[in-house]
PDB file of all heavy atoms in Angstrom:
ATOM      1  N   GLU A   6      75.346 -94.033  74.004  1.00 97.00           N
ATOM      2  CA  GLU A   6      74.316 -93.696  73.031  1.00 97.00           C
ATOM      3  C   GLU A   6      74.831 -92.672  72.026  1.00 97.00           C
ATOM      4  O   GLU A   6      75.706 -91.861  72.344  1.00 97.00           O
ATOM      5  CB  GLU A   6      73.065 -93.121  73.714  1.00 97.00           C
ATOM      6  CG  GLU A   6      72.403 -94.022  74.729  1.00 97.00           C
ATOM      7  CD  GLU A   6      72.795 -93.686  76.144  1.00 97.00           C
ATOM      8  OE1 GLU A   6      73.938 -93.191  76.330  1.00 97.00           O
ATOM      9  OE2 GLU A   6      72.002 -93.940  77.067  1.00 97.00           O
ATOM     10  N   SER A  21      71.507 -95.059  68.355  1.00 98.00           N
ATOM     11  CA  SER A  21      72.314 -96.267  68.522  1.00 98.00           C
ATOM     12  C   SER A  21      72.838 -96.328  69.938  1.00 98.00           C
ATOM     13  O   SER A  21      73.111 -95.293  70.554  1.00 98.00           O
ATOM     14  CB  SER A  21      73.499 -96.261  67.550  1.00 98.00           C
ATOM     15  OG  SER A  21      73.061 -96.239  66.208  1.00 98.00           O
ATOM     16  N   SER A  25      79.676-102.343  75.501  1.00 93.00           N
ATOM     17  CA  SER A  25      80.949-103.022  75.736  1.00 93.00           C
ATOM     18  C   SER A  25      80.764-103.941  76.926  1.00 93.00           C
ATOM     19  O   SER A  25      80.436-103.465  78.016  1.00 93.00           O
ATOM     20  CB  SER A  25      82.062-102.005  76.025  1.00 93.00           C
ATOM     21  OG  SER A  25      82.251-101.141  74.937  1.00 93.00           O
ATOM     22  N   MET A  37      67.629-105.412  76.484  1.00 97.00           N
ATOM     23  CA  MET A  37      68.024-104.044  76.191  1.00 97.00           C
ATOM     24  C   MET A  37      66.783-103.168  76.036  1.00 97.00           C
ATOM     25  O   MET A  37      65.741-103.618  75.555  1.00 97.00           O
ATOM     26  CB  MET A  37      68.848-103.993  74.906  1.00 97.00           C
ATOM     27  CG  MET A  37      70.132-104.808  74.963  1.00 97.00           C
ATOM     28  SD  MET A  37      71.269-104.253  76.248  1.00 97.00           S
ATOM     29  CE  MET A  37      71.626-102.581  75.696  1.00 97.00           C
ATOM     30  N   GLN A  47      59.386 -87.463  84.837  1.00 97.00           N
ATOM     31  CA  GLN A  47      60.125 -88.645  85.232  1.00 97.00           C
ATOM     32  C   GLN A  47      60.553 -89.432  83.999  1.00 97.00           C
ATOM     33  O   GLN A  47      59.951 -89.323  82.927  1.00 97.00           O
ATOM     34  CB  GLN A  47      59.253 -89.527  86.137  1.00 97.00           C
ATOM     35  CG  GLN A  47      58.980 -88.935  87.508  1.00 97.00           C
ATOM     36  CD  GLN A  47      58.256 -89.909  88.423  1.00 97.00           C
ATOM     37  OE1 GLN A  47      57.539 -90.791  87.960  1.00 97.00           O
ATOM     38  NE2 GLN A  47      58.464 -89.767  89.718  1.00 97.00           N
ATOM     39  N   VAL A  51      60.249 -96.538  76.872  1.00 98.00           N
ATOM     40  CA  VAL A  51      59.976 -96.340  75.452  1.00 98.00           C
ATOM     41  C   VAL A  51      59.845 -97.681  74.740  1.00 98.00           C
ATOM     42  O   VAL A  51      58.836 -97.962  74.100  1.00 98.00           O
ATOM     43  CB  VAL A  51      61.084 -95.500  74.777  1.00 98.00           C
ATOM     44  CG1 VAL A  51      60.838 -95.409  73.269  1.00 98.00           C
ATOM     45  CG2 VAL A  51      61.163 -94.113  75.400  1.00 98.00           C
ATOM     46  N   GLY A  57      68.589-112.842  73.718  1.00 84.00           N
ATOM     47  CA  GLY A  57      68.457-113.965  72.799  1.00 84.00           C
ATOM     48  C   GLY A  57      69.346-113.797  71.597  1.00 84.00           C
ATOM     49  O   GLY A  57      69.578-112.687  71.130  1.00 84.00           O
ATOM     50  N   LEU A  59      68.714-114.764  68.640  1.00 74.00           N
ATOM     51  CA  LEU A  59      67.973-114.591  67.396  1.00 74.00           C
ATOM     52  C   LEU A  59      67.192-113.289  67.344  1.00 74.00           C
ATOM     53  O   LEU A  59      66.271-113.154  66.563  1.00 74.00           O
ATOM     54  CB  LEU A  59      67.025-115.776  67.195  1.00 74.00           C
ATOM     55  CG  LEU A  59      67.708-117.137  67.090  1.00 74.00           C
ATOM     56  CD1 LEU A  59      66.674-118.241  66.901  1.00 74.00           C
ATOM     57  CD2 LEU A  59      68.719-117.145  65.946  1.00 74.00           C
ATOM     58  N   ASN A  89      60.365 -92.803  63.732  1.00 98.00           N
ATOM     59  CA  ASN A  89      59.716 -92.189  62.577  1.00 98.00           C
ATOM     60  C   ASN A  89      58.511 -91.376  63.032  1.00 98.00           C
ATOM     61  O   ASN A  89      58.035 -91.523  64.158  1.00 98.00           O
ATOM     62  CB  ASN A  89      59.276 -93.255  61.587  1.00 98.00           C
ATOM     63  CG  ASN A  89      60.429 -94.063  61.040  1.00 98.00           C
ATOM     64  OD1 ASN A  89      61.551 -93.565  60.873  1.00 98.00           O
ATOM     65  ND2 ASN A  89      60.172 -95.331  60.740  1.00 98.00           N
ATOM     66  N   VAL A  98      65.636 -86.519  76.640  1.00 98.00           N
ATOM     67  CA  VAL A  98      66.920 -87.218  76.645  1.00 98.00           C
ATOM     68  C   VAL A  98      66.602 -88.713  76.629  1.00 98.00           C
ATOM     69  O   VAL A  98      65.825 -89.191  77.457  1.00 98.00           O
ATOM     70  CB  VAL A  98      67.760 -86.857  77.883  1.00 98.00           C
ATOM     71  CG1 VAL A  98      69.057 -87.665  77.882  1.00 98.00           C
ATOM     72  CG2 VAL A  98      68.047 -85.370  77.917  1.00 98.00           C
TER      73      VAL A  98
END
Side-chain angles (χ1 to χ4, degrees):
E6 301 98 330
S21 299
S25 299
M37 300 299 298
Q47 291 187 333
V51 175
L59 299 180
N89 299 328
V98 177

